């Protein structure tokens, strides 16, 4: 039987069919739904970890103990998990260990578009790349087999278009059963230098064996067509090439590290002109050229952003034909913005009024940088806001600076930089925007919500007690819908000669809607436009006065509190 599945759903299905017993990860677009779908299987221990490093360490432990294990994360998450990744390549595994890295070409929801194929080469671990949902499901099982056969973790690299696109998948796979079994082996799993030097040499032996395996791996295959022009490609780019050049020869690579050198060389030598089509960096092209083979690619195909058939056609097909084939999207653009009624809006409004320097972080609240709020000065990576604030304070000596970080991001990587502030005598004020969820990736739970991925009640991390235990003496919790209290808290805490934490706590309105009724604008509106400075999508400017779309208004009251003319009133 075949059913329509997204790439993420297919990975979860394939992992379950392969007998995965433990699955961990940290939510991040485009990978989030992998763990959410694995959590639906009762025989899979699926859980969110505080961050990707912890997630991989849990998966390594369960693999060593004999349970097939999978860890999922977005591409930048692999930076956080890189420390254990490079060493587990040395130790190897007991049961299979698969690491899903979901890359985001085009940065649909990311701060960069790094090409994680280079991680496979740097860490010396095999990498598989599916091009559709069926292959995503089947390659997961292949990955577990490769992992156990060659005693090594396997990277399964996807991209946004594979993760989120749906295609048919065979769902009649027989589930693999594997009994956990742990055997003490300190020489293999304890990487003191003496053991690591031995495992380093063994890693090269395993890579040599993997190179030979790659030559005959069924996922690396040639589809013969015209010998005048041929393509080498992988991942979603294979689908684009098939669509544009159905008569051409194609070498499709599902295993992109280590590469099958003999297979590629034999293919190139039988084609007059070979073009490498790949998203982002010239990872394949550079390696193939280093072998002295004549191929082309990035001199015409962009290395920045996500590819699609139109972009490839523009690069490779004569201009007139490309124009005829291209179809421009007629959909209007929609700028990103904080939701109507978002509890973060009032905080950013007051930060702008107070002219604070604001170091920001990763989350939907990063949208506070956009006008009219314009209340963010930096955003680098997960957890960077607090260290950035400490650095600005060191350089300028000023107190008019705050770090802004969400509750999930604070748990992910905000605790250690807060320790640094206390330890090194910083006087920075840290604002935790606690909306009781990981909002940006679809409202996932985390240790601060007190509920697990499986929906089971758990211990709720107490932020107030945590920051006090770190050494923050000045801690206050404020309702962000109370603008006077927001302004008072920021002014008072930033005036102190000690580090402080303000927790602005209100549930994301997609989790818990405000109980208030929607508001409307009455005849008292004199067109002062103060309410427009909130940037609320429910408020617009029509015929010289403000207007509220009651279908969007969440009843948060913030605009009404700002209006000095009493022109915004609740609908009764």
């Amino acid at each position: 039987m075949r059913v329509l599945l997204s790439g993420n759903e297919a990975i979860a299905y394939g992992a379950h069919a392969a007998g995965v017993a433990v699955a961990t990860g940290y939510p991040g677009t485009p990978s989030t739904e992998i763990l959410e779908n694995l959590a639906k299987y009762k025989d899979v221990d699926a859980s969110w970890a505080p961050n990707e490093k912890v997630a991989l360490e849990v998966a390594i432990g369960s693999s060593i103990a004999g349970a097939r294990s999978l860890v999922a994360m977005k591409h930048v998450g692999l930076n956080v998990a890189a420390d254990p990744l490079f060493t587990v390549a040395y130790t190897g595994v007991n049961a299979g260990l698969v690491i899903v890295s979901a890359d985001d070409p085009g940065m649909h929801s990311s701060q960069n578009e790094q090409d994680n194929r280079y991680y496979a080469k740097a860490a010396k671990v095999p990498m598989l790349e599916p091009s559709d949902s069926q292959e995503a499901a089947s390659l997961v099982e292949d990955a577990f087999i490769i992992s156990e056969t060659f005693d090594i973790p396997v990277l399964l690299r996807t991209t946004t278009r594979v993760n989120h696109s749906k295609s048919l998948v065979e769902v009649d796979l027989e589930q693999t059963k594997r009994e956990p079994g742990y055997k003490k082996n300190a020489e293999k799993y304890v990487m003191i230098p003496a053991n690591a030097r031995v495992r380093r040499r063994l890693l090269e032996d395993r890579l040599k064996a993997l190179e030979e395996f790659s030559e005959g791996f069924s996922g690396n295959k040639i589809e013969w067509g015209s010998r005048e022009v041929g393509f080498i490609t992988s991942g979603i780019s294979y689908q684009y090439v098939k669509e544009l050049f159905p008569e051409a020869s194609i070498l499709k690579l599902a295993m992109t590290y280590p590469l099958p050198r003999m297979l590629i060389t034999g293919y190139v030598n039988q084609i007059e002109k070979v073009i490498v089509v790949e998203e982002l960096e010239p990872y394949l092209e550079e390696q193939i050229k280093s072998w002295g083979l004549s191929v082309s690619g990035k001199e015409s195909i962009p290395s920045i952003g996500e590819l699609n058939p139109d972009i490839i056609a523009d690069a490779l097909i004569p201009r007139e034909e490309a124009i005829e084939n291209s179809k421009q999207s007629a959909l209007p653009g929609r700028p990103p913005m904080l939701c109507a009624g978002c509890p973060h809006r009032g905080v950013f409004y007051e930060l702008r009024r107070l002219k604070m320097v604001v170091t920001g972080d990763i989350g939907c609240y990063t949208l506070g940088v956009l006008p009219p709020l314009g209340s963010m000065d930096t955003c680098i990576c997960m957890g960077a806001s607090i260290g950035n604030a400490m650095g600005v304070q060191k350089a300028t000596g000023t107190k008019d600076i705050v770090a802004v970080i969400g509750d999930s991001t604070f748990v992910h990587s905000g605790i250690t930089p807060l320790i640094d502030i206390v330890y090194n005598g910083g006087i920075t004020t840290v604002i935790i925007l606690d909306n009781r969820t990981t909002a940006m990736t679809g409202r996932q739970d985390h240790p601060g919500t007190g509920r697990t991925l499986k929906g089971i009640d758990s211990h709720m991390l107490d932020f107030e007690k945590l920051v006090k235990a770190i050494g923050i003496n000045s801690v206050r919790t404020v309702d962000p819908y109370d603008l006077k209290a927001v302004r008072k808290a920021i002014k008072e805490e930033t005036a102190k000669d000690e580090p402080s934490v303000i927790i602005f706590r209100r549930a994301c309105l997609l989790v818990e809607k405000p109980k208030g009724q929607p508001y409307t604008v009455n005849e008292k509106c004199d067109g002062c436009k103060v309410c427009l400075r909130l940037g609320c999508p429910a408020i617009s400017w029509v015929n010289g006065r403000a207007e509220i779309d009651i279908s969007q208004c969440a009843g948060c009251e913030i605009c009404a509190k700002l209006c000095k003319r009493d022109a915004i009133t609740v609908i009764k």
Side-chain angles (χ1 to χ4, degrees):
M1 181 177 71
R2 295 199 299 172
V3 299
L4 202 59
L5 296 179
S6 70
N8 284 343
E9 291 168 332
I11 290 170
Y13 168 73
H16 180 252
V20 69
V22 176
T24 64
Y26 182 81
T29 306
S31 69
T32 307
E33 298 83 4
I34 297 172
L35 263 291
E36 289 179 330
N37 280 281
L38 273 167
K40 297 174 183 175
Y41 296 106
K42 292 183 179 179
D43 54 344
V44 177
D45 186 328
S47 60
W48 293 126
N51 63 36
E52 295 85 354
K53 179 176 183 287
V54 175
L56 179 53
E57 289 161 348
V58 170
I60 291 171
S62 55
S63 165
I64 290 173
R68 281 190 168 181
S69 304
L70 179 144
V71 56
M73 61 194 72
K74 67 182 298 177
H75 62 307
V76 289
L78 199 54
N79 301 334
V80 182
D83 197 356
L85 170 68
F86 278 67
T87 303
V88 75
Y90 282 30
T91 67
V93 303
N94 179 8
L97 173 59
V98 176
I99 304 160
V100 181
S101 166
D103 289 14
D104 186 18
M107 296 172 279
H108 296 284
S109 185
S110 306
Q111 65 270 38
N112 72 37
E113 58 173 8
Q114 67 191 47
D115 189 332
N116 276 7
R117 291 178 296 177
Y118 290 101
Y119 261 116
K121 188 174 183 179
K124 298 179 180 294
V125 297
M127 172 168 278
L128 303 180
E129 288 189 75
S131 62
D132 59 20
S133 297
Q134 177 63 71
E135 200 171 28
S138 58
L139 283 183
V140 174
E141 183 167 22
D142 290 336
F144 278 113
I145 294 170
I146 292 170
S147 177
E148 290 167 0
T149 302
F150 296 93
D151 187 18
I152 198 165
V154 175
L155 277 168
L156 181 75
R157 185 229 186 199
T158 58
T159 55
T160 306
R161 212 51 59 176
V162 172
N163 291 104
H164 290 168
S165 297
K166 291 202 172 192
S167 57
L168 292 171
V169 178
E170 292 281 356
V171 290
D172 296 325
L173 296 176
E174 186 174 341
Q175 188 181 15
T176 301
K177 295 291 184 183
R178 192 181 195 282
E179 291 299 323
Y182 171 68
K183 186 177 180 182
K184 185 179 177 69
N185 190 343
E187 291 79 9
K188 186 174 188 293
Y189 296 121
V190 181
M191 286 302 95
I192 57 174
N195 292 339
R197 293 186 191 105
V198 174
R199 296 299 301 179
R200 173 70 181 87
R201 293 185 181 281
L202 290 174
L203 176 57
E204 291 302 315
D205 295 339
R206 286 177 279 159
L207 280 178
K208 192 174 291 293
L210 279 162
E211 288 175 7
E212 295 176 4
F213 172 82
S214 181
E215 298 288 351
F217 178 55
S218 60
N220 296 333
K221 60 183 181 183
I222 297 173
E223 298 172 5
W224 288 111
S226 167
R227 303 293 176 109
E228 293 181 2
V229 178
F231 295 89
I232 299 176
T233 187
S234 65
I236 192 63
S237 299
Y238 164 76
Q239 304 292 350
Y240 302 152
V241 171
K242 284 286 289 183
E243 179 179 332
L244 289 169
F245 308 100
E247 306 300 325
S249 294
I250 301 174
L251 170 52
K252 178 187 178 302
L253 298 171
M255 188 171 190
T256 49
Y257 187 80
L259 287 171
R261 180 171 180 172
M262 291 174 59
L263 179 67
I264 293 172
T265 302
Y267 174 77
V268 172
N269 288 339
Q270 296 181 66
I271 305 289
E272 291 182 26
K273 180 181 180 181
V274 176
I275 302 170
V276 180
V277 180
E278 56 188 326
E279 277 186 325
L280 300 181
E281 304 299 326
Y283 168 84
L284 297 173
E285 186 179 340
E286 286 179 347
Q287 182 63 60
I288 294 168
K289 284 181 173 176
S290 76
W291 298 333
L293 299 174
S294 178
V295 297
S296 61
K298 287 302 177 186
E299 61 265 37
S300 55
I301 300 171
S303 59
I304 298 174
E306 188 178 35
L307 295 181
N308 62 41
D310 289 342
I311 292 172
I312 297 172
D314 285 343
L316 301 179
I317 298 176
R319 186 64 186 161
E320 295 77 13
E321 191 178 346
I323 291 173
E324 188 175 334
N325 291 339
S326 67
K327 295 179 181 178
Q328 298 297 320
S329 171
L331 293 175
R334 185 180 75 86
M337 62 182 69
L338 294 172
C339 299
C342 174
H344 304 329
R345 176 169 283 104
V347 176
F348 285 117
Y349 177 80
E350 292 297 341
L351 287 170
R352 179 180 172 86
R353 287 183 68 194
L354 292 168
K355 296 183 170 67
M356 288 285 168
V357 175
V358 180
T359 56
D361 224 297
I362 305 293
C364 53
Y365 51 89
T366 315
L367 296 173
V369 69
L370 299 176
L373 295 171
S375 303
M376 195 168 289
D377 294 80
T378 67
C379 176
I380 306 298
C381 66
M382 293 284 282
S385 60
I386 299 175
N388 289 165
M390 177 71 164
V392 173
Q393 183 230 309
K394 280 175 176 283
T396 64
T398 179
K399 271 288 289 178
D400 296 332
I401 175 170
V402 297
V404 173
I405 187 168
D407 47 337
S408 181
T409 311
F410 179 68
V411 175
H412 179 282
S413 47
I415 298 169
T416 45
L418 187 59
I419 292 172
D420 181 58
I421 286 178
V422 175
Y423 176 61
N424 285 304
I427 53 174
T428 306
T429 296
V430 174
I431 291 175
I432 300 176
L433 297 173
D434 183 2
N435 64 357
R436 318 306 297 153
T437 189
T438 312
M440 186 177 185
T441 50
R443 307 190 305 280
Q444 288 75 35
D445 283 300
H446 60 73
T449 69
R451 194 164 49 221
T452 70
L453 173 58
K454 294 250 184 183
I456 300 169
D457 289 339
S458 179
H459 176 75
M460 183 185 294
L461 181 62
D462 188 319
F463 287 154
E464 286 84 350
K465 289 182 178 177
L466 173 66
V467 298
K468 285 180 180 177
I470 286 173
I472 301 291
N473 295 318
S474 184
V475 183
R476 66 168 77 181
T477 304
V478 178
D479 180 357
Y481 284 154
D482 186 343
L483 289 186
K484 288 183 179 177
V486 168
R487 185 177 179 84
K488 182 173 185 288
I490 296 171
K491 289 180 69 173
E492 290 181 355
E493 293 304 325
T494 55
K496 293 177 179 175
D497 289 327
E498 62 175 325
S500 60
V501 169
I502 308 170
I503 301 170
F504 290 117
R505 179 171 291 140
R506 267 279 186 163
C508 170
L509 57 83
L510 297 177
V511 174
E512 181 182 327
K513 284 189 177 297
K515 296 178 181 177
Q517 295 296 311
Y519 281 71
T520 188
V521 181
N522 61 38
E523 70 283 353
K524 295 180 182 177
C525 177
D526 63 358
C528 72
K529 296 185 178 180
V530 169
C531 57
L532 294 182
R533 295 174 193 164
L534 287 168
C536 178
I539 305 175
S540 59
W541 188 250
V542 180
N543 298 326
R545 55 175 283 180
E547 187 171 292
I548 295 178
D549 180 352
I550 61 171
S551 68
Q552 291 196 64
C553 180
C556 71
E557 282 190 285
I558 290 182
C559 59
K561 290 175 179 173
L562 278 182
C563 183
K564 296 180 179 177
R565 307 288 188 277
D566 293 327
I568 300 178
T569 53
V570 69
I571 297 175
K572 297 181 180 178

